[in-house]
Amino acid sequence: MRRLMAFTMASTQGLATALLFGLSSCLAQAAEPAASAPEKVLRVAYRQAETGFDPAYVTDLYSRNILANIFDTPLRFSYLKRPYQLEPSVTDGLPEVLDNATRFVFKLKPGIYFADDPVFKGQKRELTGADMIYSIKRHYDPQVKSGHLYRLQGAGILGLDEVRNAALKGGKPFDYDKPVDGLRLLDRYTVEIRVRNSDPRFAYHFADPMLSLVAREVVEGYAGRVGEHPVGTNAYVLSQWRRSSLIVLTRNPNFRELYYREPVPEHRPDLAEDVKKLQGRRMPMVDRVEVSIIEESQPRWLSYLRREFDLLDDLPNEFAPVAIPQNKLAPNLAKQGQRAVRYERADISMSYFNMEDPVVGGYTPDKIALRRAIALAINLDEQVRLPRRGQAKPAQGIISPGVYGYDPQLKSEMGQFDRARAKALLDLYGYVDKDGDGWRDLPDGSPLTLEYATEPDAQKRQLAELWQKNMNAIGVRIRFKIGKWPENLKAANAGRLQMWGLGWSADVPDGENFLGLAYGPSKGQSNKSRFDLPEYNRLFEQQHSMPDGPERLAIMQKMQRMAVAYMPFKAETHRVFTDITQPWVIGYDKNLYQRDFWAYVDIDTDVLRKSQSQ
């Protein structure tokens, strides 16, 4: 609500309005000069808590969306161009690609500065090529435990694996100062990267928050607490943080001159007037962003209706029939001037099996049969209809729509519901009730019990109820282990969960992002199931170096079939999302791969003021 306080509050009517909206410090703001420009505040609610703000570590969507507004990446995806298009962020043009996509030359723009911080000892700190090299090396440091290392190792940056292995074997700190052939500083602003394997899509990684540009002084000055003290060069700085509750970002005084130059979007004709109005405006246009964590769907939805938030990121599915009947914005909301942006996020919701777990893991026929039987017993149509309220479609494979490699014609066991076949598989491999208690046992006679990790919000409870119903129907015990999202993520990465249901969103518009969910070397990173099959790993590495085309597509489809055959996870749905904005939010669109969009939106103070008086 603090944005509202910035308006001149001298009048009794203005003060009454502020009190009505529950503002805590309106009297102090009322004393400000009437001529002062109103502070513009964008208020957002997220449904999951953050895990931290260290780019090399975090893998969850919500933390990455926030840190992307604090840190720059070398490249970015254009905010409004469709199809998605790479463009420079802090580089002077796109990288030069040489020698069959094994050599890349990036040139950073001079005159870009980090936000002020005590570690810089009162000096302005310019972004240089050395920062880019250091930011890449951090992923190879065993102490960092990067959640993205496998993506860089796929390209094989020359010399970095050797430095990492030396640290692992010798128990010594990673040597950041050791020169390597794959990272060369050609001058103060120019970096050459050389990779072992041809990587036609290598540049995509440099638009992802994982390669946010950090300063070495910050990492070393806040050793072990980098995620609590993010210092970057992007539009905002972290000014307040109450864990799992409130995150406040404010305008970075050192942010470079950047002006709004977006094309009028053909895919969003309703946005055309906004885009024209914003042309030439200096960014960011909003002074302050407040992100509140509200995990339960009902209070998040009701808070939005009470105008406590400007942007509802991800409409709760249970309220879709009310807010978007027939998948169109409800007339009463449209009449108020609200807007809905409906989109497929290029993601997958799935439930994984820990392949190292003694009950559900393993590669023997009996263990494969158990996982396939469990997967066949899941009624995806019921899941789409009930807890997801029609805001999803059943998945046939792990690759989502909207990325290269998706096959809309694919039909597989991953998307089938066949309870009779599930029972037959269990019977065939000895998962029968041996002690007469009504529940199936393991082939050796010991109890068969599944343990499924989940979270306490309403939708997760409904999904758990369906899992319970489906497992009961085939005579398999299941119990649920409820925890907070950050804790479950940490346990999953450590291999401590038997099963967990989660979503995965694409970082780049390419199917490799999803195939990596089963790539052995990424265990503990994207590969939560800890699946590790040599042939799958070989194919993953083979397609990685291939240009797009029929041969690469054939390998990608073969890998999808292997994932179906071994079933390390049950791919459940491809979800459809809807964001809704209040009438005074200008210029908002959903970009799946450009996460620092807050700099591109504005608050129409006239519309906001009018809404307060109604």
Side-chain angles (χ1 to χ4, degrees):
M1 294 300 180
R2 278 185 287 273
R3 183 202 53 225
L4 305 179
M5 298 184 284
F7 296 112
T8 302
M9 307 287 286
S11 68
T12 303
Q13 181 181 3
L15 182 57
T17 303
L19 291 172
L20 176 63
F21 279 83
L23 303 176
S24 61
S25 57
C26 60
L27 294 177
Q29 293 289 335
E32 291 186 355
S36 63
E39 183 186 45
K40 294 180 179 180
V41 181
L42 178 70
R43 302 160 305 168
V44 185
Y46 277 175
R47 64 186 178 90
Q48 297 285 6
E50 74 294 341
T51 57
F53 305 116
D54 183 343
Y57 178 78
V58 298
T59 58
D60 65 288
L61 175 69
Y62 305 97
S63 301
R64 285 156 62 78
N65 283 352
I66 293 167
L67 68 83
N69 289 273
I70 300 171
F71 296 95
D72 276 305
T73 50
L75 307 176
R76 67 187 305 121
F77 283 93
S78 171
Y79 181 49
L80 292 180
K81 287 180 183 176
R82 301 292 186 276
Y84 294 105
Q85 182 175 317
L86 273 180
E87 64 182 23
S89 177
V90 296
T91 58
D92 185 5
L94 292 174
E96 191 176 3
V97 181
L98 304 164
D99 301 341
N100 189 30
T102 61
R103 187 158 65 95
F104 306 82
V105 179
F106 293 79
K107 189 171 184 63
L108 300 182
K109 295 176 184 175
I112 295 175
Y113 294 90
F114 284 92
D116 293 334
D117 191 88
V119 298
F120 299 135
K121 300 177 180 178
Q123 301 296 313
K124 291 293 183 185
R125 174 61 159 79
E126 188 182 22
L127 176 70
T128 70
D131 298 312
M132 182 172 171
I133 289 176
Y134 178 76
S135 299
I136 294 170
K137 285 184 174 181
R138 285 196 72 224
H139 291 276
Y140 286 80
D141 185 344
Q143 294 299 315
V144 173
K145 295 181 173 57
S146 167
H148 310 278
L149 175 61
Y150 73 98
R151 295 171 62 186
L152 296 173
Q153 286 183 316
I157 299 176
L158 299 179
L160 279 182
D161 278 327
E162 289 77 3
V163 181
R164 175 179 170 83
N165 290 337
L168 285 168
K169 292 177 182 177
K172 298 178 180 179
F174 183 87
D175 188 354
Y176 282 93
D177 297 313
K178 185 176 180 61
V180 296
D181 290 340
L183 292 175
R184 293 180 177 175
L185 187 63
L186 303 185
D187 60 40
R188 181 173 173 82
Y189 304 107
T190 307
V191 175
E192 179 189 72
I193 304 177
R194 298 171 63 207
V195 300
R196 181 177 301 105
N197 307 313
S198 175
D199 193 339
R201 292 158 296 277
F202 187 64
Y204 279 164
H205 299 316
F206 293 85
D208 186 271
M210 76 167 185
L211 285 180
S212 297
L213 299 169
V214 302
R216 184 168 183 172
E217 303 97 304
V218 174
V219 175
E220 294 178 351
Y222 296 110
R225 298 180 294 123
V226 182
E228 302 171 19
H229 298 275
V231 181
T233 59
N234 211 340
Y236 293 99
V237 297
L238 179 66
S239 58
Q240 186 180 350
W241 182 18
R242 296 201 302 267
R243 289 181 182 273
S244 304
S245 175
L246 177 68
I247 301 151
V248 178
L249 305 183
T250 53
R251 183 191 296 269
N252 176 8
N254 291 351
F255 188 58
R256 60 194 176 274
E257 286 193 29
L258 187 64
Y259 297 90
Y260 190 97
R261 304 290 186 200
E262 290 299 308
V264 176
E266 295 182 3
H267 69 286
R268 285 283 311 279
D270 61 313
L271 204 59
E273 288 304 314
D274 286 0
V275 172
K276 293 174 184 176
K277 186 185 300 185
L278 296 176
Q279 291 298 326
R281 295 279 301 281
R282 186 168 179 177
M283 298 159 50
M285 294 168 274
V286 170
D287 302 294
R288 179 184 179 96
V289 181
E290 298 180 355
V291 181
S292 297
I293 311 302
I294 305 179
E295 295 177 338
E296 288 288 351
S297 296
Q298 185 177 52
R300 191 165 74 256
W301 170 239
L302 293 177
S303 295
Y304 176 78
L305 291 181
R306 291 194 298 264
R307 302 183 179 182
E308 294 172 7
F309 298 104
D310 309 306
L311 166 63
L312 181 67
D313 181 90
D314 184 6
L315 170 72
N317 285 340
E318 52 263 51
F319 299 106
V322 176
I324 50 169
Q326 285 77 54
N327 295 325
K328 292 184 179 180
L329 188 65
N332 64 311
L333 299 179
K335 186 177 180 180
Q336 295 173 25
Q338 298 189 35
R339 293 181 184 176
V341 182
R342 183 173 160 81
Y343 57 96
E344 293 184 354
R345 190 181 276 167
D347 87 334
I348 186 84
S349 72
M350 63 179 183
S351 296
Y352 79 79
F353 304 95
N354 185 341
M355 294 294 289
E356 297 173 357
D357 181 82
V359 175
V360 299
Y363 299 82
T364 56
D366 59 317
K367 296 298 186 181
I368 295 172
L370 174 61
R371 293 192 297 272
R372 291 176 66 177
I374 292 170
L376 283 166
I378 301 301
N379 187 336
L380 294 182
D381 288 335
E382 191 174 40
Q383 184 183 124
V384 169
R385 187 176 70 256
L386 296 175
R388 300 202 183 278
R389 302 298 196 277
Q391 306 305 301
K393 58 184 180 182
Q396 298 294 331
I398 197 63
I399 298 178
S400 85
V403 302
Y404 185 84
Y406 173 68
D407 180 6
Q409 306 303 318
L410 177 66
K411 299 293 181 184
S412 79
E413 188 178 291
M414 193 77 81
Q416 291 178 8
F417 169 57
D418 192 333
R419 193 171 286 160
R421 189 174 167 203
K423 291 179 178 179
L425 262 177
L426 293 171
D427 291 343
L428 179 64
Y429 283 89
Y431 294 96
V432 296
D433 179 11
K434 297 180 183 297
D435 57 10
D437 65 353
W439 296 103
R440 293 179 184 270
D441 298 300
L442 292 169
D444 65 4
S446 57
L448 168 59
T449 302
L450 306 181
E451 184 177 83
Y452 191 107
T454 186
E455 288 79 49
D457 61 90
Q459 184 178 97
K460 290 298 180 67
R461 288 195 296 269
Q462 294 170 24
L463 290 169
E465 289 169 2
L466 282 184
W467 265 87
Q468 181 82 67
K469 173 184 173 182
N470 288 319
M471 292 302 98
N472 287 352
I474 60 171
V476 173
R477 292 185 190 88
I478 186 170
R479 65 185 182 207
F480 298 92
K481 182 180 180 181
I482 299 174
K484 294 285 189 177
W485 163 263
E487 284 71 29
N488 280 343
L489 178 62
K490 192 176 297 184
N493 288 337
R496 295 197 302 266
L497 300 181
Q498 184 188 90
M499 298 173 65
W500 187 30
L502 73 161
W504 183 266
S505 297
D507 298 313
V508 298
D510 188 81
E512 180 179 304
N513 212 245
F514 293 96
L515 296 174
L517 298 175
Y519 179 52
S522 66
K523 287 189 289 188
Q525 301 174 57
S526 65
N527 183 355
K528 312 300 183 194
S529 72
R530 310 181 83 79
F531 183 68
D532 197 353
L533 190 70
E535 177 62 8
Y536 186 96
N537 298 341
R538 185 189 69 79
L539 292 173
F540 183 90
E541 292 160 5
Q542 181 180 348
Q543 62 81 34
H544 178 87
S545 298
M546 298 174 68
D548 292 344
E551 292 183 6
R552 181 172 183 243
L553 283 173
I555 292 176
M556 296 173 84
Q557 294 309 319
K558 183 177 181 180
M559 294 172 69
Q560 285 217 95
R561 291 193 296 271
M562 292 174 73
V564 172
Y566 284 89
M567 203 67 70
F569 36 66
K570 166 69 171 178
E572 296 175 354
T573 66
H574 302 302
R575 297 173 293 178
V576 181
F577 295 82
T578 301
D579 298 347
I580 305 180
T581 60
Q582 300 286 6
W584 48 83
V585 176
I586 304 174
Y588 176 73
D589 190 34
K590 174 61 71 173
N591 186 310
L592 301 181
Y593 307 108
Q594 194 246 56
R595 304 176 191 276
D596 58 333
F597 61 86
W598 293 334
Y600 288 78
V601 301
D602 195 14
I603 300 296
D604 189 324
T605 53
D606 292 336
V607 174
L608 176 61
R609 187 181 295 110
K610 183 178 178 181
S611 74
Q612 295 169 24
S613 64
Q614 293 175 347

